[in-house]
């Protein structure tokens, strides 16, 4: 499945709310749960069908919003494509909030199926850029 909310006027709170909703554990149908199997009740059931998430090109999303998204999306392990590009008019600054790029670099290993990561029009400090590049270089499905 694909969710594309790129090129909208969505701000930080909207993007974060959307991603939080995608990452929330789904409810279980208790009638399908075996009577004494409590593990199914407590096990998280995240969105396991979303393959592409396009949240880029939203002018009102800042580094703070992208940092929060990077922290949340590890609950979406089936992603094959992630677009967090900044707006082409004014580059988004992942460095405007400490930890945005680092949160993304830390999240990359949690996406075993990720094949594409788009960060167009994003401004990074050299150390942040290096952290993302190193995480991407270690990723098993990324190609040069």
């Amino acid at each position: 499945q694909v969710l594309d909310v790129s090129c909208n006027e969505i701000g930080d709170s909207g993007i974060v709310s959307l991603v939080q909703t995608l990452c929330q554990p789904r409810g279980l149908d208790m009638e399908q749960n075996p009577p004494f199997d409590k593990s199914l009740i407590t096990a998280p059931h995240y969105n396991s069908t979303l393959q592409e998430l396009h949240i880029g090109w939203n002018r009102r999303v800042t580094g703070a919003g992208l940092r929060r998204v990077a922290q949340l999306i590890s609950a979406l392990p089936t992603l094959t494509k992630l677009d967090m590009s900044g707006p082409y008019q004014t580059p988004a600054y992942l460095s405007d909030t400490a930890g945005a790029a680092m949160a993304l670099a830390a999240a990359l290993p949690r996406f075993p199926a990720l094949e594409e990561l788009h960060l167009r029009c994003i401004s990074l400090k050299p150390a942040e850029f290096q952290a993302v590049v190193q995480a991407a270089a270690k990723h098993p499905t990324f190609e040069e």
Side-chain angles (χ1 to χ4, degrees), residues 39-107:
S39 65
L40 290 178
I41 296 170
T42 57
H45 294 271
Y46 296 108
N47 185 324
S48 60
T49 60
L50 188 65
Q51 293 179 316
E52 295 186 19
L53 179 60
H54 302 268
I55 59 171
W57 312 105
N58 284 292
R59 289 185 306 175
R60 294 175 29 208
V61 174
T62 68
L66 292 177
R67 177 180 50 112
R68 187 67 185 124
V69 165
Q71 292 167 339
L72 292 167
I73 57 176
S74 60
L76 301 171
T78 57
L79 284 181
T80 59
K81 185 183 237 181
L82 176 61
D83 186 349
M84 296 174 68
S85 297
Y88 62 89
Q89 306 93 331
T90 311
Y93 291 91
L94 284 185
S95 357
D96 71 354
T97 300
M102 299 308 186
L104 179 59

Side-chain angles (χ1 to χ4, degrees), residues 101-117:
M102 299 308 186
L104 179 59
L108 285 180
R110 295 186 211 119
F111 299 107
L114 194 64
E115 297 171 354
E116 292 183 37
L117 173 65

Side-chain angles (χ1 to χ4, degrees), residues 4-69:
D4 188 343
V5 293
S6 56
C7 300
N8 283 290
E9 292 295 320
I10 300 171
D12 287 346
S13 63
I15 285 293
V16 170
S17 293
L18 173 71
V19 173
Q20 281 176 325
T21 300
L22 290 171
C23 295
Q24 285 179 349
R26 294 190 315 246
L28 287 173
D29 181 351
M30 295 308 292
E31 293 189 16
Q32 292 182 6
N33 198 21
F36 298 104
D37 188 355
K38 300 297 182 207
S39 65
L40 290 178
I41 296 170
T42 57
H45 294 271
Y46 296 108
N47 185 324
S48 60
T49 60
L50 188 65
Q51 293 179 316
E52 295 186 19
L53 179 60
H54 302 268
I55 59 171
W57 312 105
N58 284 292
R59 289 185 306 175
R60 294 175 29 208
V61 174
T62 68
L66 292 177
R67 177 180 50 112
R68 187 67 185 124
V69 165

